[in-house]
């Protein structure tokens, strides 16, 4: 199963066991199964409040967090569907601002699975259907949907008339699921990414995008034209810059100056302004300017350059040095981590666990100027790289890789000098284990 889950609640676990037995056990793209499943459930996707649909390789989850913060700061309520979960399956489905409770989750999954036997939906398709069903049965002013994989054939793409769509940062990830050509014309790798993400575009619906390479922008624009969507690219329809420790945004409606996001990492400013642009180019919800100031302070997205609090796991370090947690696992995530520690000008002890289908050099290489030690750990419950996969890039830093049975052992082995930082990175699955061990489960 591509995204496994367990629960402490017996009723929820019973449904997750049913799902495990039903699911094909891998990511399967296509809209046929989710469409059939939703039809059997009464097509809840057609009964939603205004939908904010977000695709992207990196940053789409954070963009959803900023959207939610602004909407709630405006006095509205929002349902939110994101993936994957870190600790509890419930994190995927937020009903009117609150994680779905166990009783409702078990009951909703049961109803979805009762219609699933002849359809054979994937784990993500069942989860998507359960979220949409729960959303239609509880009142809220908006729905925020994060694309799971790609966009064009993602299960969330069954929503026919969203209020607005947005595409966050684009990069190489999940290449096995990308279309290699269209109408006989081959795609360059990054254009393939752009094509898949642009698949969320809908007729007469604004599509807000970040800045991309020209060929990627043209790919997105071409797909939007095919369906009659109106593209609103950064640098043309809107733009933003950071200077003087503030975030400066402009579009046809005017200009705003806001505090920088509280979430760590310079890249979070890009995610924040995408959310702002989406909210300012839709007409379903009124969002006052004051809500954007609150948004940058309120938004929170665990395991994305999150500084861990004091807890049972962080105490293993034996010092008060900062410990950061990040679930990033691709090249763009590595660049963001490198930029963060460059700004801090801090030596870094890296604890890294990566799935076997990811590239360790993507995380290690951008951190080389700051690295003081490299520690390999497994990713529990998943196929992961051994320490030998880290060695080629570690050699470039002139370092050996220390291997440990878990994060706690790695922390206990680090001799952190004053001013040193620790980074635990490489996998959201690993990040979930860390948050659970440190008693910092998302709420």
């Amino acid at each position: 199963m591509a995204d496994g889950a367990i629960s402490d609640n017996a009723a929820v676990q019973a449904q997750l066991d049913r799902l495990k037995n039903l699911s094909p056990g891998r990511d399967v793209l296509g809209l046929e199964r989710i469409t059939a499943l939703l039809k059997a459930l009464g097509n809840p996707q057609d009964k939603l409040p205004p939908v904010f649909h977000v695709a992207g390789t990196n940053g789409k989850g954070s963009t959803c967090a900023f959207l939610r913060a602004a909407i709630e700061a405006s006095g509205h309520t929002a349902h939110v569907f994101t993936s994957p979960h870190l600790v509890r399956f419930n994190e995927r489905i937020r009903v009117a601002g609150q994680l779905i409770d166990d009783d409702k989750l078990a009951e909703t999954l049961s109803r979805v699975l009762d219609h699933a036997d002849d359809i054979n939906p994937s784990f993500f398709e069942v989860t998507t259907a359960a979220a949409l069903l729960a959303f239609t049965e509880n009142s809220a002013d908006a729905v925020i949907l994060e694309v799971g994989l790609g966009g064009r054939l993602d299960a969330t793409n069954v929503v026919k008339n969203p209020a607005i769509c947005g595409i966050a940062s684009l990069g190489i990830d999940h290449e096995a699921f990308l279309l290699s050509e269209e109408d006989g014309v081959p795609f360059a790798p990054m254009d393939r990414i752009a094509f898949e993400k642009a698949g969320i575009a809908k007729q007469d619906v604004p599509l807000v995008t970040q800045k991309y390479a020209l060929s990627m922008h043209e790919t997105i624009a071409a797909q939007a034209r095919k369906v009659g969507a109106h593209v609103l690219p950064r640098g043309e329809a809107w733009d933003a810059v950071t200077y003087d420790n503030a975030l400066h945004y402009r579009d046809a409606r005017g200009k705003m100056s806001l505090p920088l996001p509280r979430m760590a990492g310079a890249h979070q400013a890009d995610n924040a302004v995408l959310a702002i642009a989406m909210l300012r180019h839709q007409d379903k919800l009124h969002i006052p300017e004051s809500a954007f100031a609150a948004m940058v302070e309120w938004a929170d997205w665990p395991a994305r350059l999150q500084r861990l609090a004091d807890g049972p796991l962080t105490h293993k370090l034996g010092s008060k040095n900062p410990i950061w947690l990040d679930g990033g696992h691709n090249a763009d995530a590595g660049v963001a981590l490198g930029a963060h520690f460059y700004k801090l000008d801090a030596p870094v002890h890296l604890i890294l666990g990566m799935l076997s289908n990811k590239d360790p050099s993507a995380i290690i290489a951008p951190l080389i100027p700051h690295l003081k030690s490299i520690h390999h750990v497994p990713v529990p419950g998943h196929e992961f790289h051994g320490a030998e996969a880290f060695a080629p890039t570690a050699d470039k830093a002139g370092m050996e890789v220390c291997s440990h049975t878990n994060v706690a052992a790695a922390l206990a082995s680090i001799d952190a000098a004053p001013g040193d930082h620790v980074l635990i990175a490489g996998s959201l699955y690993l990040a979930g284990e860390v948050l659970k061990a440190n008693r910092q489960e998302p709420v």
Side-chain angles (χ1 to χ4, degrees):
M1 186 161 53
D3 269 322
I6 58 174
S7 175
D8 293 334
N9 180 278
V12 172
Q13 187 60 52
Q15 301 309 317
L16 293 176
D17 289 342
R18 289 179 66 191
L19 176 53
K20 183 177 181 179
N21 291 331
L22 170 74
S23 172
R26 62 191 185 278
D27 292 309
V28 181
L29 296 181
L31 300 181
E32 299 84 2
R33 292 171 303 278
I34 185 65
T35 299
L37 184 58
L38 291 171
K39 182 178 180 180
L41 294 166
N43 289 316
Q45 76 278 12
D46 297 333
K47 305 170 186 176
L48 299 170
V51 172
F52 295 76
H53 199 192
V54 184
T57 307
N58 291 300
K60 60 184 184 289
S62 295
T63 299
C64 289
F66 283 115
L67 286 169
R68 176 191 164 208
I71 289 170
E72 291 182 347
S74 303
H76 302 300
T77 55
H79 301 315
V80 187
F81 178 58
T82 56
S83 60
H85 61 278
L86 294 171
V87 180
R88 300 175 64 211
F89 183 90
N90 310 56
E91 297 165 34
R92 295 169 178 256
I93 304 173
R94 192 173 288 273
V95 177
Q98 303 298 316
L99 297 186
I100 189 169
D101 66 55
D102 285 333
D103 290 343
K104 181 65 176 176
L105 176 58
E107 185 264 340
T108 305
L109 283 173
S110 177
R111 289 162 59 197
V112 173
L113 289 166
D114 285 347
H115 293 86
D117 284 340
D118 296 331
I119 299 171
N120 196 33
S122 69
F123 179 99
F124 187 75
E125 289 165 342
V126 169
T127 306
T128 301
L132 298 177
L133 187 59
F135 294 164
T136 61
E137 296 175 347
N138 295 272
S139 177
D141 301 309
V143 171
I144 301 168
L145 288 183
E146 179 191 5
V147 167
L149 184 62
R152 181 174 62 97
L153 299 176
D154 184 73
T156 63
N157 208 26
V158 293
V159 175
K160 299 174 184 176
N161 189 33
I164 198 160
C165 300
I167 303 178
S169 171
L170 297 182
I172 294 292
D173 208 359
H174 305 294
E175 290 182 82
F177 297 96
L178 298 177
L179 191 69
S180 60
E181 62 179 43
E182 187 195 20
D183 298 331
V185 179
F187 281 126
M190 291 305 298
D191 295 341
R192 292 163 61 196
I193 297 280
F195 173 81
E196 294 295 340
K197 309 304 182 184
I200 67 171
K202 303 292 186 297
Q203 184 174 356
D204 298 326
V205 175
L207 175 64
V208 180
T209 65
Q210 293 277 19
K211 288 182 179 178
Y212 314 114
L214 179 60
S215 64
M216 297 169 67
H217 172 73
E218 291 176 343
T219 298
I220 292 171
Q223 294 310 114
R225 283 194 299 270
K226 285 183 179 181
V227 299
H230 179 44
V231 182
L232 300 165
R234 183 173 181 174
E236 297 180 26
W238 63 280
D239 210 346
V241 294
T242 58
Y243 61 86
D244 292 341
N245 204 36
L247 181 59
H248 304 275
Y249 173 93
R250 66 155 181 88
D251 59 22
R253 293 172 53 186
K255 299 179 180 180
M256 289 190 299
S257 292
L258 302 168
L260 293 177
R262 179 176 59 86
M263 285 198 284
H267 58 288
Q268 292 296 357
D270 288 331
N271 300 326
V273 296
L274 178 63
I276 293 170
M278 289 179 67
L279 290 164
R280 282 171 65 93
H281 288 92
Q282 56 81 40
D283 58 8
K284 305 300 183 184
L285 291 181
H286 172 64
I287 309 294
E289 187 170 323
S290 59
F292 297 117
M295 175 196 82
V296 293
E297 293 289 337
W298 292 5
D300 180 60
W301 196 229
R304 281 74 175 182
L305 269 177
Q306 176 183 1
R307 184 167 173 175
L308 294 177
D310 288 342
L313 184 63
T314 59
H315 289 168
K316 299 291 184 181
L317 184 63
S319 68
K320 296 295 184 181
N321 295 68
I323 302 177
W324 300 87
L325 177 67
D326 192 89
H329 51 256
N330 57 29
D332 283 356
V335 169
L337 291 171
H340 176 67
F341 288 101
Y342 173 82
K343 183 177 180 180
L344 292 177
D345 192 23
V348 178
H349 299 272
L350 175 63
I351 300 174
L352 188 64
M354 297 196 74
L355 299 183
S356 57
N357 63 344
K358 304 301 179 184
D359 177 13
S361 67
I363 302 299
I364 300 172
L367 292 166
I368 284 177
H370 316 287
L371 286 178
K372 201 167 180 180
S373 65
I374 303 174
H375 303 262
H376 164 269
V377 293
V379 182
H382 298 271
E383 294 184 8
F384 58 89
H385 279 297
E388 67 279 359
F390 296 4
T393 314
D395 288 345
K396 295 179 182 178
M399 293 183 182
E400 294 184 357
V401 179
C402 303
S403 192
H404 308 274
T405 56
N406 53 46
V407 171
L411 285 169
S413 76
I414 293 173
D415 182 16
D420 288 359
H421 290 232
V422 175
L423 170 63
I424 306 168
S427 166
L428 284 170
Y429 298 114
L430 178 66
E433 295 291 330
V434 168
L435 291 173
K436 185 176 182 180
N438 207 46
R439 298 178 186 166
Q440 284 187 255
E441 295 91 340
V443 295

